[in-house]
Amino acid sequence: MSAIQRRLARFNRTFANRFVGPVLTRMPGFGAVLHVGRKSGRVYRTPVKVFKRDGNYVLSLPYGPQSDWVRNTIAGGGCELHTRGKLIRLDQPQVFTDPQQSVVPAPLRPLLRRFKAFDFIELRPVDAATSTTAPVRP
């Protein structure tokens, strides 16, 4: 991650996410990941860009797979996604790189390409009836 990307990520985490996050969860293609801190145990809420693929959820990683929320999600074995008024439990996180951005709708590819967002995380929705993992709650 470049110095500019690190500064933008820090600014978003500190200021922008607090104001934009609640609005984005209601918009198509956006959501907020609820994840538990690896060390603190605290619940965090991070706005994300959401795509669907074969029944799974794919989230763009514009700041790369080393972002705290990604590391928390992997360490916790999943997260919850708040999108379009629904709270969805997700597990089996798989990080992958897709230089062609084939998981992204064609009109959005130039924007994500501009941010060099070629990394993604894919998660499977958890069937509440068979789940053995505890939900994340803010």
Side-chain angles (χ1 to χ4, degrees):
M1 186 181 327
S2 72
I4 292 172
Q5 285 178 309
R6 280 193 300 275
R7 278 184 256 153
L8 181 58
R10 193 175 316 121
F11 172 80
N12 283 341
R13 187 174 51 242
T14 306
F15 299 106
N17 289 353
R18 295 177 192 198
F19 300 105
V20 178
V23 174
L24 284 181
T25 62
R26 294 182 182 93
M27 296 177 63
F30 290 94
V33 169
L34 301 172
H35 54 98
V36 178
R38 296 177 308 285
K39 296 176 187 170
S40 69
R42 181 176 161 212
V43 175
Y44 294 94
R45 182 181 187 91
T46 303
V48 292
K49 183 73 182 113
V50 180
F51 307 100
K52 292 275 297 226
R53 176 169 78 166
D54 300 328
N56 291 337
Y57 289 85
V58 177
L59 312 176
S60 174
L61 307 179
Y63 304 120
Q66 293 303 315
S67 299
D68 284 333
W69 78 264
V70 176
R71 293 170 49 192
N72 289 344
T73 297
I74 292 168
C79 61
E80 287 184 338
L81 176 66
H82 184 214
T83 184
R84 302 195 75 180
K86 293 187 258 176
L87 193 61
I88 304 157
R89 284 180 47 202
L90 303 171
D91 69 359
Q92 299 181 11
Q94 297 292 318
V95 174
F96 65 96
T97 300
D98 180 8
Q100 289 75 36
Q101 298 176 320
S102 60
V103 298
V104 178
L108 297 177
R109 290 178 191 158
L111 177 63
L112 289 179
R113 198 170 295 124
R114 179 169 163 76
F115 289 102
K116 295 181 174 62
F118 302 114
D119 295 312
F120 300 89
I121 186 169
E122 184 169 4
L123 298 115
R124 182 185 65 87
V126 174
D127 177 7
T130 61
S131 175
T132 59
T133 59
V136 175
R137 296 288 179 232

